[in-house]
């Protein structure tokens, strides 16, 4: 009876997801209307934010077709070629994440195919999920955030607003692929079609020790989500908020002390020290 009630509630999840999509869109539209209403009340509806040329923008001087003044110009076809480089980097990230997911799959299949006790299996699944979550956090904040910033500077956007907009888009894409590719494959590919995947593997000559069982993979999905959202998320935030500033400050003080000790004394300093010693 309990399983039947759970299955009935599980069938309502797609409707709940659709509701969330429409709710999010409606919230954004309602906020836009509220923003426009306030702009009309305050008399700033027709004002536009001034475009500020970014200090790091590089280009060739030319006469502006609008004002006739000299301005820096960067050809659009060159930026499109740089967009292609960004696309190739994103494709490389997808390939790398697929390889990492294959390793995670292999670990889970190894746990599933070995006769562990319930407690041992639970601990191993939790350990794999925790390692996965820590890897995601390190990749996001150590690798992909820097890659996104470097690609954004490489694309050479003219205004500060365009630079920030494209940087936010890149970070979103990198973090989305990094964090949610495994969850999408597990939730919408492995769990719903696990039996069919087992059949295709069997036809290809790959025979698993144990067939697909939904009861094994649903807890793994919950464990990986919980590990990313709770254990690794909070531990990395505490690490970043507490240890990293302390380490960075200590490193800066140490470099400053080394720089001060390596500087040669100013001319006449030794003579002045000797005179002070004699006077004392």
């Amino acid at each position: 009876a309990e399983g039947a009630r759970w299955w009935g509630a599980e069938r309502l999840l797609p409707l709940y997801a659709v509701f969330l999509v429409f709710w999010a869109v409606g919230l954004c539209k309602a906020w836009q209307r509220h923003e426009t209403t306030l702009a009309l009340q305050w008399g700033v509806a027709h004002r536009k934010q001034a475009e500020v040329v970014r200090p790091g923008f590089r280009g060739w001087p030319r006469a502006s077709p609008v004002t006739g003044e000299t301005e820096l110009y960067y050809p659009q076809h060159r930026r499109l070629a740089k967009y292609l480089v960004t696309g190739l980097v994103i494709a490389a990230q997808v390939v790398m994440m697929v390889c990492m997911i294959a390793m995670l799959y292999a670990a889970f299949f190894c746990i599933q195919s070995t006769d562990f006790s319930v407690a041992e299996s639970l601990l191993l699944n939790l350990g794999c999920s925790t390692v996965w979550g820590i890897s995601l956090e390190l990749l996001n904040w150590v690798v992909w955030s820097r890659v996104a910033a470097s690609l954004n500077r490489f694309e050479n956007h003219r205004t500060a607003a365009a630079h920030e907009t494209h940087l936010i888009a890149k970070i979103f894409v990198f973090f989305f692929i990094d964090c949610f590719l495994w969850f999408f494959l597990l939730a919408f590919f492995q769990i719903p079609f696990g039996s069919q995947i087992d059949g295709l593997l069997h036809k290809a000559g790959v025979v698993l020790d144990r067939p697909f069982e939904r009861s094994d993979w649903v807890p793994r999905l919950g464990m990986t989500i919980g590990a990313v959202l709770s254990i690794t998320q909070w531990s990395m935030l505490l690490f970043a908020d507490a240890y990293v500033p302390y380490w960075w400050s200590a490193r800066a003080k140490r470099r400053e002390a080394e720089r001060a000790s390596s500087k040669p004394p100013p001319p006449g300093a030794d003579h002045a020290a000797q005179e002070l010693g004699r006077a004392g």
Side-chain angles (χ1 to χ4, degrees), residues 34-191:
H34 181 64
E35 185 181 14
T36 304
T37 302
L38 292 178
L40 289 172
Q41 291 176 358
W42 296 341
V44 294
H46 300 289
R47 293 188 180 181
K48 294 183 179 180
Q49 185 177 2
E51 292 187 351
V52 179
V53 178
R54 193 169 58 90
F57 175 69
R58 303 178 305 276
W60 291 271
R62 72 163 188 178
S64 172
V66 178
T67 62
E69 299 179 354
T70 302
E71 64 176 6
L72 290 178
Y73 171 73
Y74 192 77
Q76 185 64 21
H77 69 275
R78 287 178 174 267
R79 187 170 290 114
L80 290 176
K82 294 184 176 182
Y83 287 160
L84 178 61
V85 174
T86 301
L88 293 176
V89 173
I90 293 175
Q93 184 205 12
V94 172
V95 172
M96 191 193 77
M97 291 305 302
V98 168
C99 294
M100 293 181 62
I101 289 172
M103 295 171 62
L104 187 62
Y105 264 117
F108 280 144
F109 277 123
C110 181
I111 296 170
Q112 178 181 341
S113 302
T114 308
D115 293 330
F116 291 112
S117 64
V118 176
E120 291 174 342
S121 179
L122 179 64
L123 288 176
L124 289 172
N125 283 323
L126 184 60
C128 288
S129 302
T130 304
V131 171
W132 174 255
I134 293 175
S135 302
L136 292 185
E137 293 295 329
L138 291 175
L139 284 173
N140 282 341
W141 298 108
V142 177
V143 178
W144 300 124
S145 58
R146 296 182 179 181
V147 171
S150 299
L151 287 174
N152 213 49
R153 290 192 298 267
F154 173 69
E155 290 175 358
N156 191 30
H157 297 285
R158 183 174 185 273
T159 62
H163 180 82
E164 293 176 359
T165 301
H166 285 80
L167 179 60
I168 292 171
K170 288 181 183 62
I171 291 177
F172 173 78
V173 171
F174 281 124
F175 282 23
F176 184 84
I177 294 173
D178 197 20
C179 293
F180 296 106
L181 184 59
W182 158 253
F183 300 138
F184 269 86
L185 290 177
L186 191 59
F188 301 110
F189 184 72
Q190 174 68 22
I191 292 176

Side-chain angles (χ1 to χ4, degrees), residues 189-229:
F189 184 72
Q190 174 68 22
I191 292 176
F193 306 107
S195 301
Q196 291 84 345
I197 294 172
D198 276 3
L200 293 174
L201 292 175
H202 185 72
K203 290 181 180 179
V206 179
V207 181
L208 302 176
D209 296 339
R210 289 177 57 188
F212 169 81
E213 294 183 7
R214 183 185 179 90
S215 59
D216 290 335
W217 287 95
V218 172
R220 287 168 182 168
L221 175 61
M223 284 182 185
T224 50
I225 294 176
V228 171
L229 296 182

